[in-house]
Amino acid sequence: MRVLSGIQPSGALHLGNYFGAMRQHIELQHQYEALYFIANYHTLTSVQDPEQLVQLTRDVALDYLAMGLDPEKACLFRQSDIPEVTELTWILATVTGKGLLERAHSYKDKTARGISPSMGLFCYPILMAADILIYRSNAVPVGKDQVQHIEMTQDMAGHFNTIYGDVLVRPEPLLGEAPVVPGIDGQKMSKSYGNTIELFGAPKATRKRIMAIVTDSTPVEDPKDPETCNVFALLKLLAPAEELPEWAQRYRAGGMGYGDAKKRVYELYEEQFGTRREARAAWAARPDDVEDILRAGARKARAIAEPVMEDVRAACGIVTGGRAPV
Ligand code: ADP
Ligand code: TRP
């Protein structure tokens, strides 16, 4: 089975990205053929500062490596190093109805928040479908917010195959245990909502953000409902399983302030992510090695993509006659 996923370098990665996607990516490298890329073309729909994009792209690579991605096991690469992806995007666009794209939740959400829609933002799901289909990926581990994009990918593969024959493989989404991680304001944690807890935030600033997680105003002495609490949602992800019943009990008994639970969230955060800061700094000090990893990843990914693109071109009658030499 081939597993593939991508993360946009559109800002500092956060606990939502980690528990919704990255943790699964790292676990799956041990069992399957795994391809993970940094979706820098997608990020052009939101970041238009070239230096910042270069920096953010590098940061995602450092985060993956620091959290345990093993470049001997999984392929890590930049989306833009595989030109077949953009070539397939065009071909998929020709078999995709505009109505399908008009139904995309993420496009509707973004435009509703006042982001002026470029054609790139509108066509974002086609580029994402090409990312997936070019490697004949079987499973795509993502958070819940991306499931609709994968269903659209299934539709696009189906339309292509109906017209041109069985060339593309239908992928399935793979959801982890934390399909939606809440942010400090209780909405979905997202780089674009300003409500994140960063994976590699500075300790003081992170503590401050954790202490600022929104809770209801139940007085300390009263019983509280763990299941509706944003702090408990994070405890569930961070704390060892045997510790949780104890916290649930303390919530329900009353006499516990939310501050106690927040302090524990911070401690657990430091145990799991604070201890990776050094590993991240060590990778950051070896930029040439990181670049070599990304290039080697791209070579392996391209060796899969090119023959699939050949099949696609042949299926739809695109005769290239050999690419003109540069
Ligand atoms: P963001 O919304 O912060 O821009 P991305 O869209 O780049 O995040 O998401 C990268 C991956 O992380 C995707 O697989 C996405 O589903 C997952 N993800 C992002 N935020 C969350 C969240 N709050 N809960 C669960 N998964 C998430
Ligand atoms: N759209 C995804 C996100 O914002 C990132 C992404 C781009 C992706 N291409 C992909 C995820 C292909 C999985 C597969 O999270």
Side-chain angles (χ1 to χ4, degrees):
M1 184 164 95
R2 182 173 292 149
V3 167
L4 166 127
S5 196
I7 291 195
Q8 285 198 69
S10 49
L13 297 191
H14 51 75
L15 296 187
N17 297 136
Y18 181 72
F19 288 109
M22 190 188 252
R23 180 171 66 173
Q24 286 197 81
H25 299 171
I26 293 169
E27 280 166 10
L28 291 165
Q29 70 182 347
H30 301 292
Q31 299 150 47
Y32 302 109
E33 181 184 1
L35 303 169
Y36 304 122
F37 65 90
I38 307 167
N40 52 355
Y41 276 143
H42 277 105
T43 298
L44 285 178
T45 62
S46 60
V47 175
Q48 293 185 324
D49 173 331
E51 276 162 31
Q52 194 192 1
L53 184 57
V54 169
Q55 179 78 26
L56 288 169
T57 304
R58 193 202 63 136
D59 285 348
V60 173
L62 296 180
D63 289 354
Y64 263 109
L65 292 166
M67 291 314 298
L69 180 125
D70 178 352
E72 299 290 319
K73 293 205 162 112
C75 245
L76 180 67
F77 58 101
R78 281 175 291 246
Q79 181 183 36
S80 56
D81 283 344
I82 316 296
E84 288 75 17
V85 167
T86 43
E87 190 179 349
L88 181 59
T89 301
W90 173 254
I91 294 182
L92 291 176
T94 65
V95 298
T96 304
K98 194 161 154 268
L100 182 76
L101 298 176
E102 277 160 352
R103 287 192 291 277
H105 304 310
S106 88
Y107 176 76
K108 285 195 267 185
D109 290 351
K110 285 182 179 147
T111 49
R113 275 190 288 117
I115 296 174
S116 94
S118 63
M119 279 309 291
L121 191 65
F122 186 65
C123 297
Y124 183 112
I126 311 183
L127 177 58
M128 179 157 165
D131 285 327
I132 297 170
L133 299 173
I134 196 71
Y135 308 107
R136 296 202 165 112
S137 315
N138 306 105
V140 188
V142 284
K144 195 162 173 239
D145 57 319
Q146 295 299 319
V147 169
Q148 191 198 26
H149 285 151
I150 297 170
E151 290 165 355
M152 293 166 91
T153 304
Q154 295 172 338
D155 288 348
M156 290 182 222
H159 292 145
F160 184 93
N161 287 351
T162 305
I163 302 170
Y164 294 117
D166 235 355
V167 175
L168 300 174
V169 168
R170 181 188 159 94
E172 294 297 333
L174 202 64
L175 282 181
E177 294 147 62
V180 187
V181 178
I184 61 170
D185 59 357
Q187 289 187 77
K188 182 198 104 137
M189 189 179 287
S190 171
K191 290 166 217 145
S192 36
Y193 298 162
N195 63 357
T196 64
I197 298 170
E198 293 179 11
L199 285 192
F200 291 102
K204 252 190 162 168
T206 305
R207 188 172 192 283
K208 215 168 150 193
R209 285 184 80 73
I210 292 175
M211 296 313 286
I213 296 171
V214 172
T215 52
D216 61 25
S217 49
T218 316
V220 173
E221 55 285 6
D222 287 7
K224 300 174 182 63
D225 181 1
E227 293 311 326
T228 55
C229 175
N230 298 323
V231 187
F232 191 78
L234 293 177
L235 272 178
K236 265 189 175 164
L237 296 170
L238 288 159
E242 58 279 12
E243 190 180 318
L244 282 176
E246 195 188 307
W247 279 103
Q249 153 71 17
R250 287 184 65 188
Y251 266 74
R252 294 200 173 98
M256 179 212 76
Y258 288 118
D260 293 352
K262 290 178 181 178
K263 280 187 197 138
R264 184 64 185 139
V265 166
Y266 177 65
E267 258 174 41
L268 290 161
Y269 165 87
E270 272 298 312
E271 272 170 30
Q272 288 173 43
F273 300 100
T275 49
R276 303 286 185 147
R277 278 192 199 107
E278 263 177 42
R280 193 179 187 282
W283 280 112
R286 296 165 53 196
D288 293 347
D289 293 340
V290 175
E291 183 58 31
D292 286 349
I293 288 169
L294 294 175
R295 288 188 187 188
R299 270 197 299 279
K300 285 191 211 151
R302 202 163 177 211
I304 302 170
E306 177 42 37
V308 177
M309 197 60 226
E310 266 305 320
D311 290 351
V312 169
R313 289 185 204 116
C316 44
I318 293 292
V319 181
T320 57
R323 302 256 136 155
V326 277

